[in-house]
Amino acid sequence: MEFSFLFSQFLSGLTYGMILFLVASGLSLIFGVMNILNFAHATLWLIGAYFCYSFWYLMQGYNFALWVSIPLAGFACAAVGWVTEIVLIKHIYKRELHEQLLITYALALIFADLIKIVWGPTDRLIARPPAIQKPVFIFGAPFDSYFIFVILAGFAVALGLWWFLKYTRYGHIVKAAVFSREMVGALGIPIPKIYTWVFTLGIFIAGFAGGVQAPIGSVNLGMDIAIIIQAFCVVVIGGFGSLLGTLVGAIIVGEVFSFAILYWPAGAMVLIFVITAAILIIRPWGLFGTPMRT
Amino acid sequence: MAEHKNNILKKIWMPAALFVLALILPFIVTEFWVHVLNEILILGLFALSFNMIFGYMGQLSFGHAAYYGVGAYTTGLLMVKANWPLFVTLPISMVTAGICALILGYFCVRLRGIYFAILTMAFGQLVFYIIFQWYSFTGGDNGLQGINPPAWLFKTNPYYFFTLVVVTIGAIILWFISESPFGYTMRTIRDNTERTEFIGINVQRYMLINFVIAGMFAGLAGAIWGPFNRSVAPDLCSWQHSGGPVFMAILGGPHYFLGPMLGSVIYTLLNAFVTGYTEYWPLVSGIVIIIVVLLLPGGVLGVYKEKFGHLKSKESTTLEHGGS
């Protein structure tokens, strides 16, 4: 097999990994801070994709339509996430694990049907702007030019989150809340407010990721179902609450999937679950995580 | 002695009344509702088996549909491809689902809490994708069609009574297991895993045995679903399907043996009503789930016992003070 072909396969895997990272980073952030595994995360991601489509549809005469729609989708989703947190999620922080899981699972069902009511059951397709219609050639192998944007967007979000957590005051508070929320509360920082904004930030990233996903194929119902489990896998492999872990986990899953499709297409998904299960058994807290506090 | 007798009566009147009701109902209601009743029983057994892990062992399995699916596919494949009679396939389905639960459970019982939930879910998806991708053997996403029960069970009512017998036997066996010393060991593990380990009980082995039992009865439920529905599809194993028993157990009351069955009654009836009016069943069920979880702690039976029970049941008290 040629090097150029393998390299473009590697880039496809990286693209898929970046989509997974964008979905999983919000999931991991929310779990790390508030200990809630949000089943509805991927459904909010899908809502982001539909938002992106709608914004693009309203502005489709303009060349910049898509590039504006993607961040707008993030903000629209963040608004949905903010309302959800205030109305519902707020009341389940102190509940038991199964109640939290069941509530967010119910949210996923509700959001999925709301999508069906608002946007209908037909697939939605975004026509790409001329700048990304033609493939680029890397070492002579054709490569979808939009994928380059996806990879850049993924790394940009990773860098942005890293900078936020490392260098801003709010980032420090969030990190401190992961360690000990009692201590943070005792210092006079309003924990409920922090929770609301962390949840909103997580959903913003999910909505942005949905926007990034939208032009790749068609946007359709049921996309969330496949990706939520893979996002769980990413978070488990990398370690809950670890940004670097989520990035590495996403790239592992993306690349494994991309190359397994070449050699053993039927087993690609199976392989990902096997890796996830192996990690869970050997290191339940993941490659970069720390053992969970109780 | 008399008191003892009274106790047994107290314990048995409700299941007995339910059983008699289940016997009489098909002669009163229309065929559609007999169909619904059949579904209630099968999903009820599925939820009862799930509750062995959740209510009695205190771990949340979000991949229980995998064993249900394995049972359904075993029966389906044996009946369609090998022409085996239904009665022979039932125990075989229990065994294959049990073996599947043994292999996957061996890894699952090493974990607790959220990790247990995710691993069971990942394994559930693993089974789902194997069945989904293995076209030549399972038919992939086309599923298997033409799983016809024998002629004398072909009509709705006979098959319903067949289901009733199988589910009742299954439920009685599960009840005896849950009331046996083994069942009480499970409760001990649920209430305080660490202390159970300290008194010299091999927690992992007990959990694994329980996991296998739960898997076998989920397999049995799946095995009677196939001929009832005349077909099976990979969806039976998916994580969405695993959410069903979780909700039924919590809805009915996971701390009571018959709670999940009651949950199945309410959930399935609601489903039958709602789908008659609107296609947005997930939306409605999601709202119901949220209301139940937020407002009905302990499920319908839990709330009922609290309001109308003369004595607070032994179990709910151990649960409330468990682990302290």
Side-chain angles (χ1 to χ4, degrees):
Chain A
M1 214 158 286
E2 281 174 65
F3 169 74
S4 61
F5 175 72
L6 286 180
F7 188 72
S8 90
Q9 198 67 24
F10 166 77
L11 285 181
S12 305
L14 196 60
T15 312
Y16 187 51
M18 282 303 142
I19 291 283
L20 282 175
F21 168 74
L22 288 171
V23 179
S25 57
L27 192 71
S28 174
L29 187 71
I30 290 170
F31 185 85
V33 176
M34 333 195 233
N35 256 329
I36 284 196
L37 192 60
N38 182 17
F39 244 117
H41 204 78
T43 317
L44 284 154
W45 165 82
L46 186 57
I47 290 182
Y50 274 101
F51 270 135
C52 181
Y53 166 79
S54 288
F55 289 133
W56 169 83
Y57 189 78
L58 291 174
M59 298 185 284
Q60 57 179 321
Y62 305 98
N63 263 339
F64 60 80
L66 180 63
W67 311 115
V68 177
S69 304
I70 293 173
L72 274 184
F75 285 110
C77 257
V80 175
W82 185 74
V83 173
T84 312
E85 207 277 348
I86 302 263
V87 173
L88 189 65
I89 306 287
K90 200 171 227 168
H91 304 289
I92 60 168
Y93 289 129
K94 294 207 166 138
R95 296 280 191 137
E96 283 181 56
L97 165 75
H98 64 262
E99 296 179 323
Q100 295 173 344
L101 265 181
L102 209 57
I103 292 251
T104 56
Y105 169 77
L107 266 181
L109 294 177
I110 293 173
F111 281 139
D113 256 9
L114 286 180
I115 291 176
K116 210 160 137 195
I117 291 171
V118 175
W119 282 281
T122 47
D123 291 13
R124 303 290 174 161
L125 201 65
I126 290 180
R128 295 184 182 187
I132 52 166
Q133 273 175 1
K134 284 196 183 120
V136 287
F137 286 87
I138 296 173
F139 300 119
F143 188 68
D144 190 329
S145 49
Y146 182 68
F147 283 8
I148 293 172
F149 168 76
V150 176
I151 294 172
L152 291 177
F155 278 113
V157 169
L159 265 177
L161 267 179
W162 172 76
W163 174 81
F164 168 74
L165 290 173
K166 182 138 190 176
Y167 291 109
T168 66
R169 180 179 141 74
Y170 288 107
H172 290 171
I173 294 173
V174 168
K175 270 205 326 204
V178 174
F179 268 108
S180 166
R181 59 188 115 175
E182 289 78 18
M183 184 56 88
V184 173
L187 289 171
I189 293 160
I191 287 287
K193 239 180 211 167
I194 297 295
Y195 278 13
T196 307
W197 289 112
V198 167
F199 192 83
T200 309
L201 174 65
I203 303 304
F204 169 80
I205 301 171
F208 177 78
V212 170
Q213 165 72 39
I216 290 182
S218 66
V219 180
N220 54 344
L221 298 168
M223 281 165 83
D224 53 334
I225 290 165
I227 208 156
I228 186 67
I229 302 290
Q230 290 175 44
F232 282 165
C233 292
V234 165
V235 174
V236 163
I237 291 172
F240 282 109
S242 158
L243 182 65
L244 179 65
T246 309
L247 184 62
V248 173
I251 292 173
I252 291 176
V253 171
E255 293 299 345
V256 166
F257 195 73
S258 179
F259 282 96
I261 283 280
L262 277 186
Y263 299 105
W264 185 34
M269 283 306 294
V270 171
L271 203 57
I272 289 169
F273 292 122
V274 169
I275 293 174
T276 307
I279 294 273
L280 258 176
I281 293 153
I282 301 163
R283 263 178 87 91
W285 51 91
L287 294 177
F288 290 84
T290 41
M292 252 238 293
R293 62 186 192 276
T294 42
Chain B
M1 239 358 232
E3 206 171 276
H4 184 67
K5 229 180 197 172
N6 214 353
N7 253 340
I8 288 181
L9 258 178
K10 233 182 208 168
K11 268 191 173 164
I12 226 154
W13 77 264
M14 200 167 77
L18 278 178
F19 183 77
V20 172
L21 189 69
L23 269 181
I24 299 170
L25 271 178
F27 299 107
I28 306 169
V29 297
T30 57
E31 197 172 323
F32 170 76
W33 291 106
V34 178
H35 208 81
V36 174
L37 285 174
N38 209 333
E39 230 176 286
I40 288 175
L41 287 174
I42 296 173
L43 292 177
L45 180 61
F46 181 29
L48 282 180
S49 76
F50 160 80
N51 205 41
M52 294 300 281
I53 297 176
F54 178 64
Y56 290 94
M57 198 171 84
Q59 297 296 325
L60 177 62
S61 162
F62 225 98
H64 207 55
Y67 313 105
Y68 184 82
V70 168
Y73 266 90
T74 308
T75 296
L77 286 169
L78 285 175
M79 284 175 70
V80 171
K81 299 210 166 170
N83 248 330
W84 284 28
L86 175 61
F87 285 95
V88 183
T89 65
L90 289 187
I92 297 177
S93 294
M94 285 181 81
V95 171
T96 47
I99 291 171
C100 189
L102 179 70
I103 297 167
L104 300 181
Y106 176 79
F107 300 105
C108 293
V109 297
R110 281 144 209 272
L111 302 171
R112 307 277 185 276
I114 190 94
Y115 298 121
F116 184 91
I118 296 180
L119 188 60
T120 48
M121 196 192 310
F123 278 146
Q125 285 306 100
L126 183 74
V127 171
F128 168 77
Y129 274 102
I130 289 173
I131 289 177
F132 188 77
Q133 301 274 12
W134 200 352
Y135 264 92
S136 54
F137 187 57
T138 62
D141 54 351
N142 297 324
L144 280 175
Q145 273 83 33
I147 308 172
N148 291 321
W152 59 280
L153 283 177
F154 201 81
K155 287 214 172 110
T156 310
N157 272 12
Y159 198 83
Y160 169 78
F161 287 113
F162 164 72
T163 307
L164 183 63
V165 170
V166 174
V167 170
T168 307
I169 294 171
I172 290 173
I173 296 172
L174 281 177
W175 189 77
F176 272 109
I177 293 173
S178 73
E179 290 300 311
S180 69
F182 175 82
Y184 277 87
T185 311
M186 280 301 124
R187 290 174 179 79
T188 323
I189 291 172
R190 173 193 70 193
D191 291 342
N192 197 325
T193 314
E194 275 189 4
R195 281 193 200 174
T196 319
E197 231 159 88
F198 289 156
I199 57 175
I201 287 171
N202 187 339
V203 169
Q204 279 188 13
R205 187 187 299 158
Y206 270 86
M207 283 173 78
L208 182 58
I209 294 170
N210 193 38
F211 200 91
V212 172
I213 292 170
M216 285 172 77
F217 283 89
L220 179 64
I224 41 180
W225 173 268
F228 164 66
N229 198 39
R230 307 288 197 261
S231 66
V232 290
D235 278 15
L236 290 179
C237 305
S238 65
W239 64 261
Q240 293 103 305
H241 202 238
S242 289
V246 180
F247 178 56
M248 287 173 197
I250 289 173
L251 172 62
H255 306 148
Y256 303 93
F257 181 77
L258 275 181
M261 184 58 93
L262 184 67
S264 169
V265 172
I266 302 172
Y267 186 79
T268 316
L269 280 181
L270 192 70
N271 181 344
F273 270 116
V274 172
T275 44
Y277 292 103
T278 166
E279 58 172 316
Y280 299 112
W281 161 245
L283 180 75
V284 177
S285 72
I287 292 170
V288 173
I289 290 174
I290 289 176
I291 292 172
V292 167
V293 173
L294 288 182
L295 303 182
L296 283 183
V300 174
L301 271 183
V303 171
Y304 168 81
K305 290 259 157 110
E306 199 150 287
K307 289 251 158 79
F308 303 101
H310 302 293
L311 288 163
K312 237 178 161 191
S313 113
K314 232 196 268 164
E315 273 204 36
S316 70
T317 41
T318 50
L319 253 178
E320 270 156 34
H321 304 295
S324 56

